[in-house]
């Protein structure tokens, strides 16, 4: 069979990425151009991000075609992420994708960025088949999403306030550590005792699959003001491990319980917090007791990239779910069909 290639674009935040993959989830090329220009400002400047996407997207596309030794005439569809994200940044990717789709008379497949993070798993684990439960854990999202087919899903649990990644970041700030806090706490916690302090775990009821992290932030702040300043030097790994445990324990318990109760054989981790080593280990161990298998993308595919956008576009492309050229970007949060 002649392979069908999808040319995919990702520009929702500060990484411009262009990828080409076939409809069997084989990645031919996946190029990412990040934007170090934001570092001196201590955060992402949205207007600068859009302008830098504009500067990089054409060069990156030409490079992707060169490396893959493919021509535009070999491409069967154009895929692009259109929400959630920085509006100006998303517009650059969508406008570029639309122009290509129109000029080449190719179908345009639009993709939700969170859905793309979930489908990053399918690139390296081709055995994944629905039904599966996705745990979406990033700086802005904490969701449990049950997939009955590759194109139909429902959100079965979500955070009522802060996201898991946000909790890592806010705690790191309270502890005077850098940003983003997740990887720093993850590293420190490797040498710490997770039972040093028991911070609260919200919504422990067995029939509640939602999450809440705002109380944890307050508990940590209250605990810190009552400590001697030296404790931050002496016990930092223990504090980090205790905080980390309070964030990940509800994620592990609730995802495994839902999968058990609904006889779902696979749990897929997705988003930046899916890189957390303790989360990966604990959810894998806990799920294994019930014959449930856990997947997570390698670190390269955990970060924003266009290969995951192309992967999420495959099922939509195969069922002919194309977007009209009038489609627009949106900042609506959450895992959605677009
Ligand atoms: O999905 P993502 O790259 O971006 C958005 O939220 O847009 O996720 C970023 C989040 C940050 O909150 C960061 O602290 C967290 O993922 N993160 C981690 C780890 N690596 C990144 N959290 C815990 N452990 C990690 N190893
Ligand atoms: Zn992302």
């Amino acid at each position: 069979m002649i392979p069908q290639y999808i040319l995919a674009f990702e520009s929702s935040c500060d990484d411009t990425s262009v990828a080409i993959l076939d409809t069997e989830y084989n990645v031919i090329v996946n190029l990412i151009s990040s934007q170090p220009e934001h570092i001196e400002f201590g955060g992402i400047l949205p207007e600068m991000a859009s302008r830098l996407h504009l500067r990089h997207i054409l060069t990156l596309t030409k490079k992707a075609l060169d490396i893959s030794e493919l021509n535009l005439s070999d491409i069967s569809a154009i895929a692009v992420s259109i929400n959630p994200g920085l509006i100006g940044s998303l517009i650059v990717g969508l406008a570029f994708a639309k122009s290509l789709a129109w000029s080449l008379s190719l179908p345009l497949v639009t993709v939700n960025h969170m859905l793309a993070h979930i489908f990053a798993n399918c690139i390296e684990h081709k055995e994944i088949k629905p039904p599966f439960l996705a745990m979406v854990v990033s700086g802005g999202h904490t969701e449990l999403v049950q997939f009955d087919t590759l194109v139909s899903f429902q959100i079965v649990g979500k955070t009522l306030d802060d996201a898991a990644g946000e909790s890592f970041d806010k705690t790191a700030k309270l502890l005077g550590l850098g940003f983003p806090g997740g990887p720093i706490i993850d590293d420190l916690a490797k040498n710490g005792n997770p039972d040093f302090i028991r911070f609260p775990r919200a919504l422990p009821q067995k029939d509640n699959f939602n999450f809440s992290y705002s109380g944890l932030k307050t508990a940590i702040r209250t605990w810190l003001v009552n400590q001697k300043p030296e404790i931050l030097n002496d016990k930092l790994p223990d504090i980090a491990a205790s905080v980390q445990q309070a964030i990940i324990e509800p994620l592990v318990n609730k995802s495994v319980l839902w999968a058990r109760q609904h006889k779902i054989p696979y749990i897929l981790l997705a988003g930046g917090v899916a890189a957390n080593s303790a989360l990966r280990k604990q959810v894998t161990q806990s799920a294994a007791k019930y014959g449930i298998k856990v997947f997570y993308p390698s670190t390269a595919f955990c970060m924003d990239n266009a290969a995951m956008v192309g992967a999420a576009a495959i099922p939509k492309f195969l069922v002919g779910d194309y977007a009209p050229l009038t489609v627009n970007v949106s900042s609506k949060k959450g895992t959605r069909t677009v």
Side-chain angles (χ1 to χ4, degrees):
M1 213 171 76
I2 302 166
Q4 289 189 293
Y5 296 108
I6 297 180
L7 174 59
F9 299 98
E10 160 59 39
S11 68
S12 61
C13 194
D14 60 338
D15 290 313
T16 321
S17 179
V18 179
I20 300 175
L21 66 173
D22 68 21
T23 50
E24 304 288 316
Y25 298 94
N26 297 310
V27 177
I28 318 301
V29 60
N30 184 34
L31 302 178
I32 303 170
S33 167
S34 50
Q35 303 180 352
E37 289 87 344
H38 299 281
I39 292 171
E40 64 173 298
F41 300 100
I44 295 160
L45 297 192
E47 178 61 24
M48 187 163 76
S50 327
R51 286 166 192 256
L52 290 169
H53 285 306
L54 205 53
R55 186 183 294 167
H56 295 309
I57 199 162
L58 178 61
T59 330
L60 223 50
T61 306
K62 284 183 173 159
K63 202 167 160 192
L65 288 163
D66 272 359
I67 293 172
S68 64
E69 297 182 356
L70 291 169
N71 297 309
L72 284 174
S73 56
D74 299 315
I75 303 296
S76 298
I78 305 291
V80 62
S81 60
I82 62 163
N83 72 323
L86 300 172
I87 289 296
S89 292
L90 288 167
I91 287 174
V92 174
L94 179 61
F96 193 78
K98 274 184 185 178
S99 324
L100 274 176
W102 178 79
S103 57
L104 300 166
S105 299
L106 288 176
L108 178 70
V109 183
T110 52
V111 168
N112 170 277
H113 179 86
M114 304 320 294
L115 197 64
H117 272 298
I118 297 170
F119 274 80
N121 283 284
C122 302
I123 295 170
E124 293 163 302
H125 305 287
K126 300 202 168 42
E127 67 271 36
I128 294 173
K129 300 260 178 314
F132 56 78
L133 180 71
M135 182 201 294
V136 181
V137 274
S138 73
H141 290 81
T142 306
E143 290 177 338
L144 294 180
V145 191
Q146 179 182 318
F147 282 74
D148 298 313
T149 72
L150 286 178
V151 289
S152 62
F153 56 85
Q154 47 172 327
I155 294 170
V156 298
K158 61 180 182 179
T159 183
L160 305 179
D161 38 59
D162 292 353
E166 194 179 356
S167 293
F168 274 107
D169 296 338
K170 286 182 174 169
T171 311
K173 201 169 174 189
L174 283 175
L175 296 173
L177 307 169
F179 180 88
I184 303 171
I185 293 185
D186 189 354
D187 266 356
L188 279 167
K190 284 177 185 144
N191 301 312
N193 170 13
D195 301 320
F196 177 63
I197 323 147
R198 189 173 166 88
F199 290 118
R201 278 66 159 155
L203 312 177
Q205 305 84 345
K206 292 257 180 277
D207 58 348
N208 190 331
F209 291 91
N210 287 327
F211 304 89
S212 169
Y213 287 115
S214 60
L216 173 63
K217 192 177 52 194
T218 313
I220 295 165
R221 190 183 291 124
T222 313
W223 182 84
L224 271 175
V225 293
N226 291 314
Q227 305 304 311
K228 295 200 179 97
E230 310 85 77
I231 192 142
L232 273 184
N233 285 330
D234 300 346
K235 297 287 180 192
L236 201 50
D238 295 332
I239 301 169
S242 302
V243 166
Q244 176 173 273
Q245 194 56 30
I247 298 173
I248 67 175
E249 211 171 277
L251 296 169
V252 173
N253 292 345
K254 289 175 193 249
S255 60
V256 174
L257 184 60
W258 182 275
R260 274 173 62 198
Q261 285 181 347
H262 296 83
K263 304 202 172 358
I264 298 176
Y266 304 132
I267 297 176
L268 278 55
L269 309 189
V273 183
N276 185 270
S277 52
L279 175 65
R280 288 177 171 198
K281 192 169 157 200
Q282 289 180 31
V283 73
T284 304
Q285 283 174 350
S286 170
K289 288 186 212 144
Y290 308 100
I292 300 163
K293 205 161 172 209
V294 174
F295 296 96
Y296 38 81
S298 61
T299 312
F301 287 113
C302 271
M303 60 197 276
D304 288 351
N305 67 89
M308 70 182 194
V309 173
I314 293 170
K316 292 183 82 178
F317 170 64
L318 293 177
V319 298
D321 183 1
Y322 308 149
L325 290 179
T326 49
V327 68
N328 212 341
V329 301
S330 106
S331 58
K332 271 203 178 129
K333 283 178 77 168
T335 305
R336 296 168 184 274
T337 42
V338 289

